[in-house]
Amino acid sequence: MTILERCEQMLLAAITRLAGRPRSERRWMAVVIDAGLLVVAAIIALQLRTGKWFVWGPYFGMLVAFGASFWFPIAWARNIYSSLIRFSGGRTMMSLAIACAIFTVPMVIMLSFVSFPGIPRTMGLLYPMTFLALLCFSRLALRFIVVDLLHTGNKQFERHGICIYGAGRAGQQLAMALRHEPQMKLVAFIDDDPRLRGQLLDGIPVHESAHLPALIDEYRIDEVLLAIPSAARSRRRQIIEDLSERGVAVRSLPSVGNIIEGQVSISDLREIQIEELLGRDPVAPNELLLGKTLAGRVVLVTGAGGSIGSELCRQILACRPSRLILVEQSELGLYEIERELSSAAFRGGLGSEVVPELCDVSDRASIRRIFEKYRPDTAFHAAAYKHVPLVEVNPISGLRNNVFGTFHTALAAEAVGVSHFILVSTDKAVRPTNVMGSSKRICELVLQARAAAGSATVFSMVRFGNVLGSSGSVVPLFRQQIRAGGPITLTDRRITRYFMTIPEAAQLVIQAGAMAKGGEVFVLDMGQSVRIYDLAVSMIRLCGLTERSAHNPAGDIEIVEIGLRPGEKLYEELLIGDDPQPTGHERIIRAHETMLPWPALEAVLTAMHDRLEAGDAGAALALMEKLVPEYRTARIENGTLTERLAHG
């Protein structure tokens, strides 16, 4: 080991010991340093003013003594010694400047009325200015020593090359926050604005996006931080897809609405969610449609603790109903959503009463009691069993909950004069190959038949595909499997699905319900379908990992096909009939579907109810096929026809 290396080690050891001292001791160290700076500042100020270095004398000592007697009370009152030196930045400098400006006032007054031989009166201004310069320099130097030099020389800190995508205000604030992160070294900015290319931000160069591959190799960048909160979702998706193919991890700041100016920090960063790749640019909701059936009214939501039901409740509450009734059979789900909404109503001063009702919608007496008690104006029926494989092997429970939950709820709503009743349906109701989809199609038939029978209640249905993050969604499952190190289990590489975010789906459901005249089946525009295999690969890449395959045996996560589950389709559809009609909303269309008259439908449902009560799953499923003739045909076409269970 050379003498230079030994000296460096000794210096680092000394700095480490000082940095490890209690905070109270380090605060007094800062006081001692500032006392020394008061002396140095007086010497420099007098030399600048008089041109003489030999300034020692009794009056020089009095100048320093008066300076210290004024400065330290001011500094203590301004909490100068409460801030952490290793986090010194622009705000620290501003705080020092304000304190020194206050310090200038008594110094000017004193030297204006008291004469000190050899001490010019202009020292009242020059002395505080020189002291401020030394204070700022000392704080920045100490920060460099403690943060940069110490962490660079300490081998336990492995610094990662970081690149910020976005050189705007959010990117600049994020860069300032990174200064205090010893394990992160900012090496470059990337920005799409041609005016910024080649410029330096705080000494860091700004590059165009085309240079990113070369930068990753040159600086060994292993993480890119997105600081473009105001960018359109489509642009963010394009950037994320490009970055994920480079083998680097990506994190992002939240939307611009969540960033308070000047307060961007490392804690604001989050992992990129796959929803950002699948979601579309949002369409501003029609406020008139949102509030038409909600504002000032009594609104009831079944399945209020579920994924869609809970989001419906949040958006309904924002429209200020007079009362919001939450109907849910899960005690935990009801407790959580009621607590959340009651708190939101209180904080926002909405004046809406939130009422929790623990109830199984398939219990006719219970659901009738709730409707008669509250007599809601609008009802959203989101309660259902939605997990295809579970309902497939539990057909009695699935049919009872889905079909007769809807049947009893719709009739109870009609009996008390509910104005609008909206059913949350699914794309699995279209040519279903499973019990869950068939049961939801029967739910649609119930509402269509009641509307055709001339009901005063406006019945409507809203049909859409998978929502990201819902219970049973493939996205949380894949995320969990990646965290566990794989493999990702995929039913079939060819399988495709439509996806929509929960907030967008709930918002469109409310607007579709407000457009209803009676008996409509509304279908939400789900955009383009997504191949689930591509979804899995994207999620792997977003984690900075690679797929393990025959072409890449050294990859991180393997994707394994396990075969289609009972009743599962390779692809989903949104329409049964032809000639869909547009509506007043660009992402909502009106479907033209076949239906059954109420007398014929009611007779079959009565027989099905008797079979379910008797536990005869086979007979109940036969009646289900009678009501949904597409069921058997679609199963044969999909290649998944199996023998039905003869029991529940």
Side-chain angles (χ1 to χ4, degrees):
M1 181 182 294
T2 64
I3 296 177
L4 183 61
E5 290 175 339
R6 187 176 292 111
C7 291
E8 183 182 355
Q9 278 196 351
M10 292 174 61
L11 176 62
L12 289 173
I15 295 173
T16 302
R17 285 195 296 272
L18 288 174
R21 303 301 299 171
R23 188 176 178 185
S24 59
E25 292 186 18
R26 286 184 278 124
R27 182 182 293 124
W28 285 109
M29 286 178 177
V31 171
V32 172
I33 291 172
D34 288 356
L37 291 179
L38 282 167
V39 177
V40 175
I43 296 173
I44 294 175
L46 279 169
Q47 196 279 333
L48 291 173
R49 176 64 180 82
T50 65
K52 299 178 181 179
W53 281 107
F54 301 99
V55 296
W56 303 105
Y59 295 106
F60 173 81
M62 291 181 65
L63 174 67
V64 174
F66 275 114
S69 65
F70 292 145
W71 166 253
F72 287 112
I74 293 171
W76 219 266
R78 295 288 304 173
N79 293 318
I80 295 298
Y81 298 111
S82 296
S83 60
L84 298 175
I85 291 179
R86 68 174 180 272
F87 292 137
S88 298
R91 296 189 180 193
T92 302
M93 302 302 109
M94 181 59 68
S95 180
L96 291 173
I98 293 172
C100 285
I102 299 172
F103 175 45
T104 302
V105 175
M107 291 299 298
V108 169
I109 294 174
M110 182 192 71
L111 290 175
S112 296
F113 293 97
V114 180
S115 177
F116 294 95
I119 306 296
R121 297 185 187 279
T122 53
M123 286 294 291
L125 288 174
L126 193 57
Y127 186 20
M129 291 172 61
T130 307
F131 183 52
L132 173 61
L134 292 176
L135 282 175
C136 293
F137 176 79
S138 68
R139 297 303 192 265
L140 293 176
L142 286 171
R143 194 193 77 177
F144 170 76
I145 291 172
V146 173
V147 177
D148 296 329
L149 183 60
L150 176 60
H151 291 148
T152 301
N154 197 332
K155 302 303 181 182
Q156 67 174 316
F157 290 101
E158 182 182 354
R159 307 195 84 187
H160 299 286
I162 300 295
C163 172
I164 294 179
Y165 202 118
R169 179 172 297 178
Q172 294 170 34
Q173 293 171 5
L174 182 56
M176 293 177 62
L178 284 174
R179 294 175 181 173
H180 313 306
E181 297 295 322
Q183 293 179 304
M184 295 182 175
K185 180 182 179 182
L186 178 61
V187 297
F189 283 98
I190 298 292
D191 202 279
D192 297 325
D193 189 346
R195 296 173 297 177
L196 297 177
R197 293 170 191 168
Q199 297 190 25
L200 297 177
L201 289 180
D202 197 19
I204 305 298
V206 181
H207 300 270
E208 58 181 311
S209 56
H211 294 167
L212 187 55
L215 292 173
I216 292 174
D217 295 333
E218 180 180 354
Y219 294 106
R220 297 181 180 179
I221 296 172
D222 49 19
E223 185 168 12
V224 176
L225 308 180
L226 294 187
I228 46 175
S230 60
R233 184 181 289 174
S234 56
R235 176 59 185 151
R236 290 169 62 84
R237 180 169 63 247
Q238 180 184 351
I239 293 171
I240 293 169
E241 288 174 345
D242 291 341
L243 291 175
S244 65
E245 295 177 358
R246 306 293 180 188
V248 294
V250 185
R251 283 195 287 170
S252 174
L253 285 171
S255 64
V256 68
N258 296 331
I259 296 178
I260 301 175
E261 184 176 352
Q263 295 189 6
V264 173
S265 68
I266 299 301
S267 61
D268 292 321
L269 290 167
R270 55 173 174 75
E271 300 296 327
I272 294 293
Q273 302 298 308
I274 192 63
E275 290 87 340
E276 296 180 59
L277 296 184
L278 300 179
R280 301 167 295 176
D281 291 330
V283 172
N286 185 324
E287 297 297 335
L288 292 177
L289 288 178
L290 277 181
K292 181 179 178 181
T293 59
L294 305 177
R297 303 197 178 200
V298 178
V299 183
L300 181 145
V301 179
T302 68
S307 308
I308 290 294
S310 61
E311 183 61 29
L312 277 171
C313 291
R314 295 182 189 101
Q315 298 198 26
I316 291 169
L317 185 65
C319 294
R320 297 176 179 264
S322 61
R323 178 181 287 171
L324 177 57
I325 300 102
L326 315 176
V327 178
E328 173 61 55
Q329 69 171 338
S330 167
E331 182 184 25
L332 176 61
L334 183 61
Y335 166 74
E336 291 180 343
I337 190 62
E338 188 275 334
R339 183 177 61 174
E340 176 190 335
L341 297 181
S342 294
S343 176
F346 176 78
R347 291 195 312 269
L350 301 179
S352 301
E353 180 186 3
V354 179
V355 181
E357 282 285 350
L358 197 61
C359 172
D360 179 357
V361 293
S362 63
D363 182 346
R364 179 169 54 185
S366 296
I367 195 65
R368 180 184 295 173
R369 172 186 58 79
I370 291 173
F371 272 90
E372 289 177 348
K373 179 179 180 180
Y374 298 106
R375 297 187 172 272
D377 301 295
T378 304
F380 291 87
H381 183 55
Y385 289 153
K386 303 180 180 72
H387 198 276
V388 171
L390 287 181
V391 175
E392 199 69 12
V393 297
N394 293 275
I396 290 180
S397 297
L399 291 171
R400 177 187 290 120
N401 186 78
N402 292 0
V403 174
F404 290 96
T406 302
F407 181 84
H408 298 322
T409 304
L411 292 184
E414 190 175 3
V416 299
V418 169
S419 174
H420 286 75
F421 186 101
I422 301 98
L423 168 70
V424 175
S425 191
T426 171
D427 58 357
K428 293 176 175 61
V430 179
R431 280 181 275 276
T433 59
N434 48 67
V435 176
M436 194 282 283
S438 299
S439 68
K440 294 297 287 184
R441 177 56 187 146
I442 296 174
C443 295
E444 294 179 354
L445 291 173
V446 170
L447 268 62
Q448 287 177 293
R450 290 311 307 155
S455 173
T457 298
V458 176
F459 288 107
S460 61
M461 299 127 273
V462 184
R463 186 188 292 162
F464 54 91
N466 299 273
V467 287
L468 294 162
S470 66
S471 59
S473 170
V474 72
V475 172
L477 173 62
F478 284 178
R479 190 174 288 133
Q480 180 183 7
Q481 291 174 334
I482 291 173
R483 288 173 182 165
I488 288 180
T489 54
L490 186 69
T491 56
D492 193 296
R493 287 175 181 257
R494 300 168 295 168
I495 201 167
T496 62
R497 290 291 182 266
Y498 292 100
F499 287 96
M500 178 178 285
T501 63
I502 293 177
E504 183 183 14
Q507 206 171 70
L508 292 175
V509 166
I510 294 172
Q511 294 176 85
M515 292 190 291
K517 302 299 181 183
E520 297 95 337
V521 178
F522 292 107
V523 179
L524 304 188
D525 174 14
M526 301 293 295
Q528 297 296 318
S529 61
V530 177
R531 198 162 66 124
I532 303 300
Y533 171 75
D534 295 336
L535 172 66
V537 172
S538 295
M539 293 185 67
I540 291 172
R541 287 177 176 173
L542 283 179
C543 296
L545 306 173
T546 58
E547 179 192 357
R548 186 190 310 154
S549 63
H551 301 291
N552 183 26
D556 304 294
I557 304 293
E558 184 180 10
I559 299 177
V560 178
E561 285 186 89
I562 59 175
L564 289 174
R565 297 173 297 181
E568 190 171 27
K569 299 171 71 173
L570 282 174
Y571 61 93
E572 300 290 358
E573 304 165 89
L574 291 168
L575 295 170
I576 299 174
D578 299 322
D579 193 30
Q581 300 296 316
T583 67
H585 195 290
E586 63 180 280
R587 290 191 176 168
I588 303 174
I589 60 176
R590 184 183 293 105
H592 178 71
E593 308 286 24
T594 59
M595 57 161 290
L596 292 174
W598 178 251
L601 177 63
E602 184 180 26
V604 178
L605 290 179
T606 301
M608 180 184 291
H609 181 270
D610 293 340
R611 293 300 88 209
L612 292 176
E613 290 299 306
D616 190 344
L621 289 170
L623 292 169
M624 181 189 77
E625 290 186 18
K626 182 178 180 180
L627 291 175
V628 189
E630 305 96 342
Y631 167 72
R632 183 177 180 84
T633 303
R635 286 177 64 82
I636 294 173
E637 290 176 351
N638 200 55
T640 60
L641 181 60
T642 58
E643 293 296 326
R644 296 306 313 150
L645 295 174
H647 53 80

